[in-house]
Short mmCIF file of all heavy atoms in Angstrom, two decimals:
data_model
loop_
_atom_site.label_atom_id
_atom_site.label_comp_id
_atom_site.label_asym_id
_atom_site.label_seq_id
_atom_site.Cartn_x
_atom_site.Cartn_y
_atom_site.Cartn_z
N LEU A 9 75.49 -80.84 108.02
CA LEU A 9 74.48 -81.85 108.37
C LEU A 9 74.67 -83.10 107.52
O LEU A 9 74.49 -84.22 107.99
CB LEU A 9 73.07 -81.28 108.18
CG LEU A 9 72.65 -80.20 109.18
CD1 LEU A 9 71.29 -79.64 108.82
CD2 LEU A 9 72.63 -80.76 110.59
N ALA A 10 75.05 -82.90 106.27
CA ALA A 10 75.26 -84.03 105.37
C ALA A 10 76.41 -84.91 105.84
O ALA A 10 76.49 -86.09 105.52
CB ALA A 10 75.52 -83.54 103.95
N ALA A 11 77.30 -84.31 106.62
CA ALA A 11 78.46 -85.08 107.10
C ALA A 11 78.09 -85.98 108.27
O ALA A 11 78.88 -86.82 108.67
CB ALA A 11 79.58 -84.13 107.50
N SER A 12 76.90 -85.82 108.82
CA SER A 12 76.49 -86.68 109.93
C SER A 12 75.43 -87.66 109.44
O SER A 12 74.74 -87.42 108.46
CB SER A 12 75.94 -85.85 111.09
OG SER A 12 74.74 -85.22 110.71
N THR A 13 75.32 -88.78 110.11
CA THR A 13 74.41 -89.82 109.63
C THR A 13 72.95 -89.47 109.87
O THR A 13 72.08 -89.90 109.13
CB THR A 13 74.72 -91.16 110.33
OG1 THR A 13 74.81 -90.92 111.73
CG2 THR A 13 76.05 -91.72 109.86
N VAL A 14 72.67 -88.69 110.93
CA VAL A 14 71.30 -88.29 111.22
C VAL A 14 71.24 -86.76 111.21
O VAL A 14 71.88 -86.13 112.03
CB VAL A 14 70.84 -88.82 112.59
CG1 VAL A 14 69.38 -88.46 112.84
CG2 VAL A 14 71.04 -90.31 112.68
N ALA A 15 70.49 -86.19 110.28
CA ALA A 15 70.46 -84.74 110.16
C ALA A 15 69.98 -84.13 111.48
O ALA A 15 68.96 -84.51 112.02
CB ALA A 15 69.53 -84.33 109.03
N GLY A 16 70.77 -83.17 111.96
CA GLY A 16 70.38 -82.45 113.16
C GLY A 16 70.71 -83.16 114.46
O GLY A 16 70.60 -82.57 115.51
N ALA A 17 71.11 -84.41 114.38
CA ALA A 17 71.40 -85.14 115.62
C ALA A 17 72.78 -84.78 116.12
O ALA A 17 73.67 -84.44 115.37
CB ALA A 17 71.30 -86.64 115.37
N THR A 18 72.93 -84.87 117.43
CA THR A 18 74.25 -84.73 118.02
C THR A 18 74.92 -86.09 117.95
O THR A 18 74.37 -87.08 118.44
CB THR A 18 74.14 -84.28 119.48
OG1 THR A 18 73.50 -83.00 119.50
CG2 THR A 18 75.51 -84.17 120.12
N ILE A 19 76.07 -86.14 117.33
CA ILE A 19 76.74 -87.42 117.13
C ILE A 19 77.67 -87.68 118.31
O ILE A 19 78.60 -86.92 118.54
CB ILE A 19 77.56 -87.41 115.82
CG1 ILE A 19 76.67 -86.93 114.65
CG2 ILE A 19 78.12 -88.78 115.52
CD1 ILE A 19 75.45 -87.74 114.40
N ALA A 20 77.41 -88.73 119.04
CA ALA A 20 78.29 -89.10 120.15
C ALA A 20 79.38 -90.01 119.61
O ALA A 20 79.10 -91.04 119.02
CB ALA A 20 77.49 -89.82 121.23
N VAL A 21 80.61 -89.58 119.81
CA VAL A 21 81.74 -90.36 119.29
C VAL A 21 82.64 -90.67 120.48
O VAL A 21 83.00 -89.77 121.23
CB VAL A 21 82.53 -89.55 118.23
CG1 VAL A 21 83.66 -90.37 117.66
CG2 VAL A 21 81.60 -89.10 117.12
N PRO A 22 83.03 -91.92 120.65
CA PRO A 22 83.96 -92.22 121.74
C PRO A 22 85.31 -91.57 121.50
O PRO A 22 85.59 -91.11 120.40
CB PRO A 22 84.07 -93.75 121.71
CG PRO A 22 83.66 -94.13 120.33
CD PRO A 22 82.67 -93.10 119.87
N GLY A 23 86.14 -91.50 122.55
CA GLY A 23 87.46 -90.87 122.42
C GLY A 23 88.23 -91.42 121.25
O GLY A 23 88.21 -92.62 120.97
N VAL A 24 88.91 -90.53 120.56
CA VAL A 24 89.66 -90.93 119.37
C VAL A 24 90.81 -91.84 119.79
O VAL A 24 91.61 -91.50 120.64
CB VAL A 24 90.24 -89.69 118.65
CG1 VAL A 24 91.14 -90.11 117.51
CG2 VAL A 24 89.11 -88.83 118.11
N ALA A 25 90.87 -93.01 119.18
CA ALA A 25 92.03 -93.88 119.40
C ALA A 25 93.19 -93.33 118.59
O ALA A 25 93.01 -92.53 117.67
CB ALA A 25 91.69 -95.30 118.95
N ALA A 26 94.38 -93.72 118.95
CA ALA A 26 95.55 -93.27 118.20
C ALA A 26 95.39 -93.71 116.75
O ALA A 26 95.10 -94.88 116.47
CB ALA A 26 96.82 -93.86 118.80
N ALA A 27 95.55 -92.76 115.84
CA ALA A 27 95.40 -93.07 114.42
C ALA A 27 96.52 -94.01 114.00
O ALA A 27 97.63 -93.94 114.51
CB ALA A 27 95.46 -91.79 113.60
N ALA A 28 96.21 -94.90 113.08
CA ALA A 28 97.25 -95.80 112.57
C ALA A 28 98.36 -94.96 111.96
O ALA A 28 98.09 -93.99 111.25
CB ALA A 28 96.64 -96.73 111.53
N PRO A 29 99.61 -95.29 112.24
CA PRO A 29 100.70 -94.48 111.71
C PRO A 29 100.70 -94.50 110.17
O PRO A 29 100.49 -95.54 109.56
CB PRO A 29 101.96 -95.14 112.27
CG PRO A 29 101.54 -96.52 112.67
CD PRO A 29 100.10 -96.45 113.00
N THR A 30 100.88 -93.32 109.60
CA THR A 30 100.93 -93.25 108.15
C THR A 30 102.36 -93.46 107.70
O THR A 30 103.30 -93.11 108.39
CB THR A 30 100.43 -91.87 107.65
OG1 THR A 30 101.18 -90.87 108.34
CG2 THR A 30 98.97 -91.67 107.92
N VAL A 31 102.51 -94.07 106.56
CA VAL A 31 103.85 -94.26 106.00
C VAL A 31 104.29 -92.91 105.44
O VAL A 31 103.63 -92.34 104.57
CB VAL A 31 103.84 -95.33 104.89
CG1 VAL A 31 105.22 -95.48 104.28
CG2 VAL A 31 103.35 -96.65 105.46
N VAL A 32 105.37 -92.37 105.98
CA VAL A 32 105.84 -91.05 105.56
C VAL A 32 106.78 -91.22 104.37
O VAL A 32 107.83 -91.85 104.48
CB VAL A 32 106.56 -90.33 106.71
CG1 VAL A 32 107.05 -88.96 106.25
CG2 VAL A 32 105.63 -90.19 107.91
N ARG A 33 106.39 -90.67 103.24
CA ARG A 33 107.23 -90.73 102.05
C ARG A 33 108.04 -89.44 101.98
O ARG A 33 107.50 -88.36 102.12
CB ARG A 33 106.37 -90.87 100.80
CG ARG A 33 105.66 -92.21 100.74
CD ARG A 33 104.82 -92.35 99.50
NE ARG A 33 105.53 -91.92 98.30
CZ ARG A 33 105.14 -92.23 97.06
NH1 ARG A 33 104.05 -92.96 96.88
NH2 ARG A 33 105.80 -91.79 96.02
N ARG A 34 109.32 -89.58 101.75
CA ARG A 34 110.19 -88.40 101.78
C ARG A 34 109.92 -87.44 100.63
O ARG A 34 110.32 -86.29 100.69
CB ARG A 34 111.66 -88.83 101.76
CG ARG A 34 111.98 -89.68 102.98
CD ARG A 34 113.44 -89.70 103.30
NE ARG A 34 113.65 -90.41 104.56
CZ ARG A 34 114.82 -90.64 105.08
NH1 ARG A 34 115.91 -90.26 104.46
NH2 ARG A 34 114.94 -91.27 106.23
N ASP A 35 109.26 -87.93 99.59
CA ASP A 35 108.96 -87.04 98.46
C ASP A 35 107.62 -86.35 98.63
O ASP A 35 107.15 -85.68 97.72
CB ASP A 35 108.99 -87.84 97.15
CG ASP A 35 107.92 -88.92 97.12
OD1 ASP A 35 107.48 -89.36 98.21
OD2 ASP A 35 107.51 -89.34 96.02
N ARG A 36 106.99 -86.50 99.80
CA ARG A 36 105.69 -85.87 100.07
C ARG A 36 105.80 -85.00 101.32
O ARG A 36 106.63 -85.25 102.18
CB ARG A 36 104.62 -86.94 100.31
CG ARG A 36 104.45 -87.95 99.18
CD ARG A 36 103.62 -87.41 98.03
NE ARG A 36 103.58 -88.34 96.92
CZ ARG A 36 102.61 -89.25 96.74
NH1 ARG A 36 101.65 -89.36 97.65
NH2 ARG A 36 102.62 -90.04 95.68
N PRO A 37 104.89 -84.00 101.47
CA PRO A 37 104.93 -83.12 102.65
C PRO A 37 104.71 -83.89 103.95
O PRO A 37 103.78 -84.69 104.06
CB PRO A 37 103.80 -82.13 102.39
CG PRO A 37 103.56 -82.18 100.92
CD PRO A 37 103.88 -83.58 100.49
N ALA A 38 105.57 -83.64 104.94
CA ALA A 38 105.47 -84.28 106.26
C ALA A 38 104.84 -83.33 107.27
O ALA A 38 104.63 -82.14 106.98
CB ALA A 38 106.85 -84.73 106.72
N LEU A 39 104.55 -83.85 108.46
CA LEU A 39 103.95 -83.06 109.56
C LEU A 39 104.84 -83.17 110.80
O LEU A 39 104.49 -83.87 111.76
CB LEU A 39 102.53 -83.56 109.87
CG LEU A 39 101.51 -83.52 108.73
CD1 LEU A 39 100.20 -84.15 109.18
CD2 LEU A 39 101.27 -82.09 108.27
N PRO A 40 105.98 -82.49 110.82
CA PRO A 40 106.95 -82.68 111.90
C PRO A 40 106.53 -82.09 113.24
O PRO A 40 107.14 -82.41 114.26
CB PRO A 40 108.21 -81.99 111.37
CG PRO A 40 107.70 -80.95 110.42
CD PRO A 40 106.48 -81.56 109.78
N SER A 41 105.52 -81.21 113.27
CA SER A 41 105.15 -80.52 114.51
C SER A 41 103.73 -80.82 114.97
O SER A 41 103.19 -80.12 115.82
CB SER A 41 105.34 -79.01 114.35
OG SER A 41 106.69 -78.71 114.07
N GLY A 42 103.11 -81.85 114.40
CA GLY A 42 101.77 -82.21 114.83
C GLY A 42 100.70 -81.30 114.28
O GLY A 42 100.90 -80.58 113.29
N ILE A 43 99.54 -81.31 114.95
CA ILE A 43 98.37 -80.53 114.53
C ILE A 43 97.74 -79.92 115.78
O ILE A 43 97.99 -80.37 116.89
CB ILE A 43 97.34 -81.41 113.79
CG1 ILE A 43 96.85 -82.54 114.71
CG2 ILE A 43 97.94 -81.99 112.51
CD1 ILE A 43 95.73 -83.38 114.11
N MET A 44 96.91 -78.91 115.58
CA MET A 44 96.15 -78.39 116.72
C MET A 44 94.93 -77.61 116.26
O MET A 44 94.83 -77.18 115.10
CB MET A 44 97.01 -77.54 117.65
CG MET A 44 97.56 -76.26 117.12
SD MET A 44 98.55 -75.36 118.38
CE MET A 44 100.20 -75.93 118.00
N SER A 45 93.99 -77.45 117.21
CA SER A 45 92.85 -76.56 117.01
C SER A 45 92.90 -75.51 118.10
O SER A 45 93.57 -75.68 119.11
CB SER A 45 91.53 -77.33 117.06
OG SER A 45 91.32 -77.86 118.36
N ALA A 46 92.18 -74.40 117.88
CA ALA A 46 92.25 -73.29 118.84
C ALA A 46 91.01 -72.42 118.77
O ALA A 46 90.28 -72.44 117.77
CB ALA A 46 93.49 -72.44 118.56
N ASP A 47 90.79 -71.66 119.84
CA ASP A 47 89.73 -70.65 119.92
C ASP A 47 88.38 -71.20 119.44
O ASP A 47 87.67 -70.56 118.65
CB ASP A 47 90.12 -69.38 119.14
CG ASP A 47 91.12 -68.52 119.90
OD1 ASP A 47 91.75 -69.03 120.84
OD2 ASP A 47 91.28 -67.33 119.55
N VAL A 48 88.03 -72.38 119.93
CA VAL A 48 86.76 -73.00 119.54
C VAL A 48 85.61 -72.28 120.23
O VAL A 48 85.65 -72.02 121.44
CB VAL A 48 86.76 -74.50 119.92
CG1 VAL A 48 85.37 -75.11 119.75
CG2 VAL A 48 87.78 -75.25 119.07
N THR A 49 84.58 -71.92 119.47
CA THR A 49 83.36 -71.31 120.00
C THR A 49 82.17 -72.16 119.57
O THR A 49 82.36 -73.24 118.99
CB THR A 49 83.18 -69.87 119.50
OG1 THR A 49 82.82 -69.91 118.10
CG2 THR A 49 84.45 -69.05 119.67
N THR A 50 80.95 -71.68 119.80
CA THR A 50 79.76 -72.45 119.41
C THR A 50 79.70 -72.69 117.90
O THR A 50 79.13 -73.69 117.46
CB THR A 50 78.47 -71.72 119.84
OG1 THR A 50 78.56 -70.37 119.40
CG2 THR A 50 78.28 -71.76 121.34
N ASN A 51 80.30 -71.78 117.11
CA ASN A 51 80.16 -71.93 115.65
C ASN A 51 81.45 -71.73 114.86
O ASN A 51 81.42 -71.61 113.65
CB ASN A 51 79.08 -70.96 115.12
CG ASN A 51 79.39 -69.52 115.47
OD1 ASN A 51 80.52 -69.20 115.86
ND2 ASN A 51 78.40 -68.66 115.34
N SER A 52 82.60 -71.70 115.56
CA SER A 52 83.84 -71.46 114.83
C SER A 52 85.02 -72.13 115.54
O SER A 52 84.94 -72.51 116.71
CB SER A 52 84.11 -69.95 114.69
OG SER A 52 84.37 -69.37 115.95
N ALA A 53 86.11 -72.26 114.80
CA ALA A 53 87.36 -72.82 115.33
C ALA A 53 88.47 -72.45 114.36
O ALA A 53 88.21 -71.93 113.26
CB ALA A 53 87.26 -74.34 115.48
#
Side-chain angles (χ1 to χ4, degrees):
L9 290 175
S12 66
T13 48
V14 183
T18 298
I19 309 301
V21 182
V24 174
T30 53
V31 178
V32 179
R33 293 180 46 164
R34 299 202 174 177
D35 62 337
R36 303 280 175 94
L39 301 175
S41 299
I43 60 175
M44 66 179 94
S45 65
D47 282 18
V48 170
T49 71
T50 50
N51 57 14
S52 66

